[in-house]
Amino acid sequence: MPTLPYLGTALSNLFKKPVTEAFPAGDPPKAQPGYRGRIAYDASKCINCGMCERVCAPHCMTRTQVPAPGGEPGDMQITFTFDMTSCTFCGLCADFCSRKCITLTDDYMMTGTCHEDFLVSGTFIKKAPPKPKFTPEQLAAMKAAAEAKKKAAAEKAAAEKAGE
């Protein structure tokens, strides 16, 4: 008759308390300090330098620029989208962000039923630079006038010095 080597262990475990934690019942355990979890993006701090895009090895972020609806001509609506399905959570984007608008949280509970559940995005408006007060022709004319005035003052000073 064949023996079942694990039958005794299985029967004894039937009457023992489980050694595993009941999860997700209750609060999830906290992540360790320094854990790199889900990306958090604060678009209000972003200056659109693009450094995060340049250092991202898996290219998990995209930047789209469209003219701002209802804004001044030249204003741009900029949207950054981070795709958590291709992110390696290396943290380079957060390290290189000069304004610290990208941070990695301690959230490790990243579950979803569709691809959009794993996208983090933010939108902001970048204002167009102010129009110059003077045209290049006006600036050249003002510069020539200032040089002529300086030359006239130098000639007057030389004439006064010679007249002494």
Side-chain angles (χ1 to χ4, degrees):
M1 175 163 169
T3 60
L4 300 172
Y6 300 106
L7 183 61
T9 305
L11 288 175
S12 68
N13 284 342
L14 281 175
F15 304 105
K16 289 183 181 176
K17 184 178 177 184
V19 294
T20 57
E21 265 186 55
F23 184 75
D27 293 332
K30 295 285 183 197
Q32 294 295 318
Y35 179 79
R36 298 182 302 223
R38 182 185 301 270
I39 288 178
Y41 174 64
D42 185 2
S44 65
K45 294 180 182 178
C46 188
I47 59 171
N48 192 30
C49 66
M51 185 59 77
C52 54
E53 269 186 304
R54 284 180 252 162
V55 299
C56 184
H59 301 292
C60 72
M61 60 191 77
T62 56
R63 174 176 41 179
T64 57
Q65 298 181 2
V66 295
E72 298 286 324
D75 289 354
M76 298 298 284
Q77 178 178 330
I78 300 170
T79 304
F80 272 93
T81 305
F82 300 85
D83 185 0
M84 307 310 298
T85 59
S86 58
C87 182
T88 59
F89 303 99
C90 64
L92 284 176
C93 57
D95 292 341
F96 278 88
C97 184
S98 62
R99 297 295 181 129
K100 302 298 178 202
C101 60
I102 301 172
T103 56
L104 283 106
T105 65
D106 61 354
D107 179 19
Y108 59 86
M109 302 276 295
M110 290 180 263
T111 59
T113 57
C114 61
H115 184 63
E116 287 76 26
D117 293 339
F118 300 101
L119 299 178
V120 175
S121 65
T123 301
F124 62 96
I125 304 292
K126 182 175 181 184
K127 295 291 206 180
K131 298 213 185 268
K133 295 180 180 179
F134 303 104
T135 64
E137 294 82 17
Q138 290 172 327
L139 289 173
M142 288 190 301
K143 186 175 180 182
E147 287 176 3
K149 186 176 179 182
K150 189 187 236 184
K151 186 177 179 184
E155 288 174 358
K156 183 179 177 184
E160 287 178 2
K161 194 173 191 180
E164 288 180 2

